[in-house]
Amino acid sequence: MTSPALRLDESGERLRLLHVHAHPDDESSKGAATTAKYVAEGVDVWVATCTGGERGDILNPAMDRPDVLANIAEIRKQEMDAAREILGIHQVWLGFVDSGLPEGDPLPPLPEGSFGTVDLDVAVRALVKVIREFRPHVLTTYDENGGYPHPDHIRCHQISVAAFEAAGKDGAFPDAGPIWQPQKLYYNMSSRARYEALDAAMIARGQEPPYAERLKNWKRDSTDRVTTRVNCADYFAVRDRALIAHATQIDPEGHWFAVPLEVHQQAWPTEDYELVTSHVETSLPEDDLFAGIPTKPGPGVGSDA
């Protein structure tokens, strides 16, 4: 019996990666192939999910039923469990309540007690506690716009940046455990160039470009912010399985799967990130979230288990 190689830091401990996400399903729609790649390489990966997704719309017509709506909180937990198993991660709930996506002009206030309204220090402390327990080398989250302007995504960004700094500070949240400073902070990035490449690949096959309307309405581009491209095309199928596990949110016939797997693998084989803060020396551009972090050789493939 053989065991996979492990990626180890200089002290001989497994490299550790923490993704911070707003809702269940975000871990599968943002960086999931990166996650699967690192898990396969022996990296310990955790996901901290800020809310239960209780106010999320049902986006899969096949699941838009009264019995699902009546039990949405429990069903979304079950979906998260299924995705967690597929990705091979450990997942923790921070325990906050979904704020929902407000609509109208002017926008209505967020529901009292929801994630977007809780005291920032309360939310930061919850994440600092996870960071100090897990001791990740690398943390990923959303950019200052939340990836898109959902109040929970924006709050997720805010607490992630604050907790990244606070977790390693003496005197900050002293009841949240022994201090630990993650070495690198990244934002997930999705660029216009990616969708252009996918559309171009579909046109080359004589098929309709699925993202033409999205590109027409694209208001900002983040291509020039990308510092790190992780080649993870071999794990796109795992990402797709994790996405489908979130059946209330992901329509198997919807836009997530508008481009065939093999086309996506060829046209844009990476998931992309912006390196925001690094406490280690690294050279840009990168192809590894752990670039610059001192490591030692792990046990090789084929060693006795």
Side-chain angles (χ1 to χ4, degrees), residues 36 102 124 195 250 277 304:
V124 172
Y195 289 101
I250 305 298
T277 303
D304 292 337

Side-chain angles (χ1 to χ4, degrees), residues 131-151:
I131 292 172
R132 290 178 177 173
E133 176 186 357
F134 179 44
R135 302 182 302 127
H137 299 86
V138 174
L139 186 151
T140 77
T141 190
Y142 316 135
D143 68 13
E144 62 279 0
N145 296 299
Y148 79 109
H150 189 297

Side-chain angles (χ1 to χ4, degrees), residues 192-209:
R192 180 185 180 91
R194 174 177 178 268
Y195 289 101
E196 289 176 337
L198 295 174
D199 265 9
M202 293 294 281
I203 292 170
R205 289 165 59 99
Q207 296 179 272
E208 288 293 317

Side-chain angles (χ1 to χ4, degrees), residues 3 41 45 47 55 58 68 82 100-101 107 111 160 163 183 189 200 203 214 267 281 297 303:
S3 59
E41 293 176 356
V45 184
V47 166
R55 291 190 170 95
I58 297 175
V68 173
L101 183 60
L107 292 174
S160 298
Q183 296 300 292
M189 285 285 136
I203 292 170
R214 174 177 292 196
E281 290 188 12
S303 60

Side-chain angles (χ1 to χ4, degrees), residues 250-274:
I250 305 298
D251 180 358
E253 304 300 321
H255 72 92
W256 291 107
F257 308 103
V259 176
L261 177 63
E262 65 276 10
V263 176
H264 195 169
Q265 289 172 319
Q266 295 168 6
W268 201 272
T270 65
E271 290 180 335
D272 306 333
Y273 302 85
E274 178 187 8

Side-chain angles (χ1 to χ4, degrees), residues 110-190:
L110 298 179
E112 185 176 353
S114 64
F115 183 45
T117 69
V118 298
D119 183 83
L120 187 61
D121 277 354
V122 171
V124 172
R125 181 193 177 280
L127 183 55
V128 165
K129 187 175 181 180
V130 172
I131 292 172
R132 290 178 177 173
E133 176 186 357
F134 179 44
R135 302 182 302 127
H137 299 86
V138 174
L139 186 151
T140 77
T141 190
Y142 316 135
D143 68 13
E144 62 279 0
N145 296 299
Y148 79 109
H150 189 297
D152 288 342
H153 282 244
I154 293 171
R155 180 50 62 96
C156 179
H157 159 81
Q158 292 168 343
I159 74 164
S160 298
V161 172
F164 179 87
E165 297 298 332
K169 285 186 178 179
D170 279 318
F173 304 101
D175 60 342
I179 64 171
W180 174 263
Q181 180 58 63
Q183 296 300 292
K184 302 176 82 176
L185 172 66
Y186 288 92
Y187 294 160
N188 294 284
M189 285 285 136
S190 182

Side-chain angles (χ1 to χ4, degrees), residues 59-126:
L59 302 178
N60 179 359
M63 296 292 287
D64 193 2
R65 309 190 308 262
D67 60 310
V68 173
L69 184 61
N71 296 285
I72 190 66
E74 182 56 34
I75 289 172
R76 296 208 69 182
K77 287 181 180 178
Q78 294 169 2
E79 292 172 346
M80 183 69 248
D81 280 345
R84 172 182 53 76
E85 289 288 338
I86 291 166
L87 293 172
I89 58 172
H90 178 80
Q91 186 260 343
V92 294
W93 301 96
L94 293 192
F96 299 105
V97 177
D98 189 346
S99 302
L101 183 60
E103 296 179 321
D105 187 12
L107 292 174
L110 298 179
E112 185 176 353
S114 64
F115 183 45
T117 69
V118 298
D119 183 83
L120 187 61
D121 277 354
V122 171
V124 172
R125 181 193 177 280

Side-chain angles (χ1 to χ4, degrees), residues 183-234:
Q183 296 300 292
K184 302 176 82 176
L185 172 66
Y186 288 92
Y187 294 160
N188 294 284
M189 285 285 136
S190 182
S191 65
R192 180 185 180 91
R194 174 177 178 268
Y195 289 101
E196 289 176 337
L198 295 174
D199 265 9
M202 293 294 281
I203 292 170
R205 289 165 59 99
Q207 296 179 272
E208 288 293 317
Y211 301 120
E213 190 65 24
R214 174 177 292 196
L215 287 167
K216 180 180 177 182
N217 296 321
W218 197 284
K219 295 181 179 178
R220 63 187 183 91
D221 192 18
S222 56
T223 304
D224 61 350
R225 294 178 58 171
V226 172
T227 63
T228 310
R229 301 186 188 277
V230 178
N231 193 319
C232 49
D234 290 345

